[in-house]
Amino acid sequence: YNISDLYIKVGNINDKLNEEFDYVILEVGVDSKKGMNKYLKLFTPEISIITGIAPQHLSTFKTLDNIINEKMKLAHEAKQKAFINEEFIKEKNKKFIYFNSGEIKTSSNGFYYEEEYYQTRLFGEHLYTNLLAVIKVCKYLKVPDKIIKETIKDIENANHRFEPIMQGNDLIIDDSYNSNYYSFIKAIECVEKINKYKIIITPGLIELGKYSYRYNTLVAERCNSIFDKIILVGKNNAFIDTLKSTEKLETFSNFNDAYSFANKIKKDKVILIENDLPDVFIE
């Protein structure tokens, strides 16, 4: 039942997946209509998990409804059950088991669920909802409670996914893998609770097509209410227009210069690196 035993990287399936394994956990991602079809041709899931649905890849999806319809294919195709974050989908279906952040109460180094305490090394309270999904799936599979607690206790942040790094007295939070509107807001609201000088380094949101200005404006406004310094990498007109009247905004053409500037600020600080910036998006 150990998570490290269950998790097989997709690229290694042909070499490592054999009869010794009872479960394989696959992460699938889509960025356009019919994108899920190619996965469902390869496998039919026994169990599906939908952790969230947010406005992303709108330059190819075009509408949020298209995103919902595409991701929900995974839920509808599940042979047994689909575990779904209720904050995004509330469709009635006897196959669906819902979870939501309101079911847990956060505490020091963990959270309570159904009067049971779950300790974890995972940094970022906004990520605990995903652990709730893990708990519900494991209970459905009749994994012993002791095993669930022991495993969750050892779970840490993956690289570049709200990964905390101490640099002297400074806290660096590397959330640079990728980001959508929902995860961006959750990440910065988590940083809001940290009692340090707050800096964010970000390109804003990308791949949103005609919705880019709208969502980037909302994110920029929220950043303005939380951060002491906002460091923009690349060109993002919504951020520039929203923050031009403040003294918080600094702009750089590349990440290295932005990070160097942040490090030179002589404060007891937290630096959030939010969202990636592939070279293709630098103008």
Side-chain angles (χ1 to χ4, degrees):
Y1 291 113
N2 187 282
I3 292 295
S4 62
D5 291 336
L6 297 181
Y7 181 75
I8 310 285
K9 291 184 178 179
V10 174
N12 293 332
I13 285 179
N14 290 339
D15 297 329
K16 294 187 176 181
L17 186 61
N18 55 46
E19 62 275 3
E20 294 180 10
F21 293 93
D22 295 319
Y23 303 96
V24 58
I25 301 174
L26 302 176
E27 179 184 5
V28 298
V30 293
D31 59 9
S32 61
K33 291 173 65 176
K34 299 183 180 181
M36 191 66 73
N37 295 1
K38 62 183 178 183
Y39 297 116
L40 296 176
K41 287 180 180 178
L42 293 174
F43 65 88
T44 301
E46 297 289 339
I47 293 172
S48 298
I49 306 172
I50 309 294
T51 56
I53 296 176
Q56 61 186 130
H57 305 303
L58 284 171
S59 59
T60 49
F61 270 120
K62 306 303 181 184
T63 69
L64 183 59
D65 283 342
N66 287 337
I67 298 174
I68 293 171
N69 292 337
E70 201 61 34
K71 288 199 172 185
M72 287 301 291
K73 288 179 182 178
L74 195 66
H76 288 288
E77 290 295 320
K79 290 181 180 179
Q80 296 183 28
K81 294 291 183 181
F83 294 78
I84 302 174
N85 191 329
E86 195 172 17
E87 295 178 54
F88 303 95
I89 298 294
K90 296 183 179 180
E91 177 185 335
K92 291 184 178 180
N93 190 314
K94 63 181 181 180
K95 184 190 294 185
F96 296 171
I97 296 176
Y98 287 102
F99 60 93
N100 67 75
S101 59
E103 295 181 83
I104 61 178
K105 180 180 179 181
T106 60
S107 184
S108 177
N109 300 318
F111 59 92
Y112 287 90
Y113 168 60
E114 293 186 339
E115 299 184 352
E116 291 286 333
Y117 178 67
Y118 293 86
Q119 184 178 350
T120 181
R121 298 178 183 176
L122 191 67
F123 178 73
E125 293 180 359
H126 62 299
L127 301 177
Y128 290 174
T129 308
N130 290 342
L131 292 184
L132 176 59
V134 171
I135 293 169
K136 290 200 172 190
V137 171
C138 287
K139 285 182 176 291
Y140 172 76
L141 295 173
K142 301 187 184 307
V143 178
D145 289 343
K146 181 179 179 181
I147 297 292
I148 297 174
K149 285 190 174 183
E150 288 178 351
T151 304
I152 285 181
K153 186 177 179 180
D154 291 333
I155 291 178
E156 297 179 304
N157 298 68
N159 292 341
H160 313 302
R161 292 169 172 84
F162 214 74
E163 177 186 10
I165 303 166
M166 289 305 300
Q167 183 174 281
N169 291 326
D170 295 340
L171 172 61
I172 314 299
I173 302 176
D174 182 354
D175 201 29
S176 63
Y177 179 72
N178 62 26
S179 189
N180 57 54
Y181 174 73
Y182 174 80
S183 62
F184 199 120
I185 294 296
K186 290 291 186 180
I188 63 178
E189 287 179 346
C190 190
V191 172
E192 184 177 16
K193 301 175 183 179
I194 300 174
N195 187 25
K196 288 178 178 284
Y197 185 89
K198 299 173 180 62
I199 302 171
I200 183 170
I201 302 175
T202 184
L205 296 167
I206 57 178
E207 292 187 315
L208 289 177
K210 66 180 181 179
Y211 298 95
S212 179
Y213 197 91
R214 177 198 303 176
Y215 283 110
N216 274 293
T217 297
L218 293 173
V219 166
E221 289 173 346
R222 195 72 183 95
C223 285
N224 189 38
S225 69
I226 293 173
F227 290 92
D228 300 291
K229 186 64 69 174
I230 300 166
I231 304 177
L232 183 68
V233 181
K235 185 178 180 181
N236 186 315
N237 290 332
F239 264 73
I240 293 171
D241 291 346
T242 303
L243 303 171
K244 62 184 178 183
S245 62
T246 76
E247 296 182 355
K248 294 183 177 183
L249 182 65
E250 302 286 344
T251 60
F252 293 90
S253 61
N254 63 79
F255 172 78
N256 288 337
D257 288 345
Y259 188 69
S260 177
F261 175 84
N263 270 325
K264 291 177 182 177
I265 295 177
K266 302 300 182 182
K267 299 279 188 179
D268 181 15
K269 57 186 178 288
V270 53
I271 301 174
L272 173 65
I273 304 169
E274 184 63 31
N275 210 0
D276 59 0
L277 189 67
D279 290 342
V280 69
F281 293 107
I282 299 178
E283 297 181 0

